[in-house]
């Protein structure tokens, strides 16, 4: 059957698989916008959003910046997916980058742009298309952009090289001139031309340069074709951009290199004599993937930092960025949901530290205060716990300032150090404005880049976020003398991704996380653990919030979790359930993200148990405690409730309960032989027998009757009552799934898990 987009939109037909293509870019005769040097061009690729009918505001991909070049051949290709069934409009914009730290287009010189679509490029002869660059002020002198498309093959292999050269100097008028040499690796195209795939840094003024070791993906070097021709050029760097050729090797292939012995010598004509290029080593490896690490037990944890500066506006003001809309959300909570719902899938305990910054508590400004009031354990349960802590913070945090990131980045770095190497931390910073401590923040980022941390920053509101570009980039130089180990920062303005976008905020923020994760593992030479067996993985209860102990709060203002005397907000440890009228408010039991409560804090108020449908039995390790009812094998096997009796001995249910010998007082499956099991009841099936304490109707666990109350005997039940119980028990049993063989309270349970 042919692919039908209409059927696909209706959900009746899957889309055809997408191919991945790489666009190699060259420019010719670009205009020169610099007074004392040539332009420093960089190409930005923008995609058209068919859903909104507008160009996406953020570039999909960019080439590198080449200094002093009017006819550059860019090394970095632009990768994107190719969908045959769709028109994929593309816009290529060329800028002369004068200020590489600025995120404002007005700080750069616009050189021109060209529009086309991917199908036109692929359908062109040789999959190559030349377009004129249009400029409104210089319609004739805009230059030309040449785009070549190639489908990328699939290969996980990397090739690592160590290369040096000998005797590259030349004598000019009897004067020996030492070059500042660099190498360029070129791969052949199917039309006989070559395209650059790698360029080294130059080694200044040296006859026998040794370049830094480097690695290339096999898809980049030869597009996973070992028979594809490769050559290496040795160039002499010139400050004006007119680099000169020293020599070029003969063409060779990856298949040739796999047969060589190393070190391997290559001639570089026109250089002669002792001048040569030496490949010291080539190592082929297939590095582990992101999924390999996750399968071996690797985790990704989320840490959240929220801006509480005055520029947000008071939450009671409808124009405030912290204001709760009629839908119950704002831009802060939307970003938290977008990122948290994705990352919590990769976190085993789903406990997330949450901080605020720029707020004032008890008259003291803090730039990293835990929203749950506990600096020793700032974690909350799940995404709903983050949102609950955020809304609760509005009652005790005074908006203040300034906007400093250094402290929260330091907290996330410290958290990551306790989970390295297989626990990776993603810090989500939500802010409404410019950074006040830029120098300190840059230093903190460079320190964090050596650890298992990534930082994603969401700009909320309509402020100018131009200086965020100094954080989101690949530049290794800069402030404070700290060299960045790897790029770990991604910035996105929330306004660029409204809720109706088909490409959402989470995709824009998280797209780089797997690569940053793998970069950390590669730099630190960390290998994945063997995959966990499915039968050794604990069962996952979707949507459940794990139990976590609530540490005592620390002093702060009244009415906040920082004040131990604020009974109306947080009850003291061990005082749960709280007295009438205290926390939680009426109708709010249990608070979002706070169920089940910590061990020792149960039972809930009368009538509040069992929990809502779908939440029972509780997740493994939660309430009731190990050995209590019900154990992992629900319902409990005979004589094993509540774990206080040895096998074969009468099991008191509950211990000391006067009517425990009555059949209807036993849990289902645990009644004495010959009697009729009645507990736990199925929906609508519970009928307390006459001996059940009348003053505690339908409560679990049953309460002791007052001292001296009569204890009903088994023979006191009417005959028809026993018949009704037998009939009802038979009906109930027909709806109960077959049970596994009885297990002890501590026996392991075999559970099928999702892949």
């Amino acid at each position: 059957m042919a692919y039908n987009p209409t059927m696909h939109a209706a959900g009746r037909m899957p889309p055809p698989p997408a191919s991945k293509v790489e666009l190699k870019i060259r420019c010719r005769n670009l205009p020169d916008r610099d007074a004392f040097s040539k332009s420093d061009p960089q190409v930005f690729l923008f995609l058209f959003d068919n859903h909104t009918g507008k160009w996406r505001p953020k570039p999909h991909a960019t080439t590198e910046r080449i200094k002093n070049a009017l006819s550059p051949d860019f090394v970095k290709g632009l990768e994107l997916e190719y969908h045959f069934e769709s028109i994929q409009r593309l816009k290529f914009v060329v800028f002369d980058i004068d200020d590489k730290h600025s995120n404002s287009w007005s700080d750069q010189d616009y050189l021109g742009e060209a529009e086309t679509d991917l199908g036109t490029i692929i359908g062109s002869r040789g999959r190559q298309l030349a377009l004129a660059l249009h400029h409104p002020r210089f319609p004739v002198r805009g230059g030309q952009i040449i785009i070549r498309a190639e489908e990328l093959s699939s290969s996980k292999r990397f090739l690592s090289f160590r290369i040096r050269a000998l005797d590259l100097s030349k004598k000019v008028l009897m004067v020996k001139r030492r070059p500042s040499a660099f190498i360029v690796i070129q791969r052949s195209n199917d039309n006989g031309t070559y395209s650059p795939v790698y360029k080294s840094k130059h080694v200044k003024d040296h006859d026998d340069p040794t370049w830094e070791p480097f690695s290339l993906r096999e898809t980049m070097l030869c597009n996973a074709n070992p028979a594809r021709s490769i050559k290496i050029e040795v160039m002499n760097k010139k400050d004006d951009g007119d680099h000169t050729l020293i020599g070029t090797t003969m063409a060779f292939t990856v298949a040739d290199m796999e047969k060589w012995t190393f070190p391997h010598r290559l001639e570089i004509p026109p250089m002669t004599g002792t001048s040569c290029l030496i490949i010291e080593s080539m190592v082929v490896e297939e590095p582990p993937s992101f999924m390999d690490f996750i399968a071996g037990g690797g985790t990704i944890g989320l840490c959240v930092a929220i801006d509480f500066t005055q520029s947000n506006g008071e939450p009671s003001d409808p124009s405030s960025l912290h204001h709760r809309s009629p839908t119950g959300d704002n831009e802060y909570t939307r970003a938290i949901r977008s990122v948290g719902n994705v990352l919590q899938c990769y976190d085993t305990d789903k406990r997330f530290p949450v901080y605020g910054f720029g707020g004032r508590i008890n008259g003291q400004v803090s730039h990293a205060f835990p929203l749950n009031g506990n600096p020793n354990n700032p974690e909350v349960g799940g995404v709903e716990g983050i949102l609950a802590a955020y809304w609760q913070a509005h009652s005790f945090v005074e908006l203040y300032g300034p906007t400093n990131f250094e402290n929260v980045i330091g907290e996330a770095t410290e958290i990551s150090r306790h989970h390295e190497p297989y626990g990776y931390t993603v810090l989500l910073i939500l802010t409404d404005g410019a950074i006040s401590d830029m120098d300190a923040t840059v230093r903190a980022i460079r320190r964090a880049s050596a650890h298992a941390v990534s930082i994603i920053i969401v700009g909320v509101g309509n402020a100018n976020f131009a200086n965020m570009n100094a954080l989101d980039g690949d530049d290794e130089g800069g402030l404070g003398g700290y060299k960045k180990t790897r790029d770990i920062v991604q910035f996105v303005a929330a306004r660029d991704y409204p809720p109706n976008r088909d490409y959402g905020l989470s995709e824009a923020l998280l797209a780089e996380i797997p690569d940053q994760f793998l970069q950390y593992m590669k730099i630190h030479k960390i290998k994945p653990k063997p995959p966990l067996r499915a039968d050794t993985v604990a069962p996952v209860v979707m949507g459940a919030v794990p139990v976590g102990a609530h540490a005592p709060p620390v002093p702060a203002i009244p009415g906040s979790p920082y004040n131990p005397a604020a009974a109306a907000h947080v009850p003291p440890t061990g005082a749960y359930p709280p007295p009438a009228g205290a926390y939680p408010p009426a109708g709010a039991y249990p608070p979002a993200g706070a169920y089940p409560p910590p061990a020792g804090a149960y039972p809930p108020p009368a009538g509040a148990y069992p929990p809502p449908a779908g939440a029972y039995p509780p997740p493994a390790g939660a309430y009731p405690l190990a050995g209590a009812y019900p154990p992992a094998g629900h319902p409990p096997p005979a004589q094993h409730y509540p774990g206080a009796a040895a096998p074969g001995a009468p099991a008191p249910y509950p211990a000391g309960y006067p009517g425990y010998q009555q059949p209807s007082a036993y849990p289902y499956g645990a009644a004495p032989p010959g009697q009729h099991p009645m507990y736990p009841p199925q929906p609508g099936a519970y009928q307390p027998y006459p001996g059940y304490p009348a003053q505690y109707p339908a409560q679990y666990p049953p309460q002791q009757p007052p001292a001296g109350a009569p204890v009903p005997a088994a023979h006191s039940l009417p005959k028809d009552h026993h018949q009704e119980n037998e009939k009802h028990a038979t009906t109930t049993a027909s709806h109960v799934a077959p049970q596994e063989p009885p297990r002890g309270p501590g026996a392991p349970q075999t559970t099928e898990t999702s892949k």
Side-chain angles (χ1 to χ4, degrees), residues 178-249:
R178 293 178 174 175
S180 296
F182 64 93
I183 58 173
V184 178
I185 299 179
Q186 307 257 7
R187 77 178 183 199
S188 63
N189 302 318
D190 50 14
N191 61 359
T193 61
Y194 280 81
S195 297
V197 295
Y198 174 77
K199 183 171 73 173
S200 74
K201 294 182 179 179
H202 71 279
V203 178
K204 189 174 181 179
D205 300 334
H206 209 293
D207 292 339
D208 305 321
T210 298
W211 293 281
E212 293 182 359
F214 62 94
S215 297
L216 293 174
R217 287 183 301 168
E218 188 176 36
T219 52
M220 180 183 292
L221 181 63
C222 61
N223 203 10
N225 178 7
R228 190 165 186 169
S229 294
I230 301 165
K231 65 181 182 180
I232 303 177
E233 296 177 342
V234 184
M235 306 291 294
N236 184 22
K237 182 181 183 299
K238 300 290 186 180
D239 290 338
D240 61 1
D242 289 332
H243 311 310
T244 57
L245 179 68
I246 296 175
T248 307
T249 68

Side-chain angles (χ1 to χ4, degrees), residues 682-724:
Q682 301 303 311
Y686 185 72
Q687 296 290 334
Y689 71 99
Y692 199 94
Q695 69 272 32
Y696 298 100
Q699 285 196 17
Y700 175 81
Q703 307 295 319
Q704 298 287 346
V711 179
H715 58 76
S716 65
L717 295 176
K719 180 179 180 181
D720 58 345
H721 180 81
H722 285 286
Q723 291 174 345
E724 181 64 22

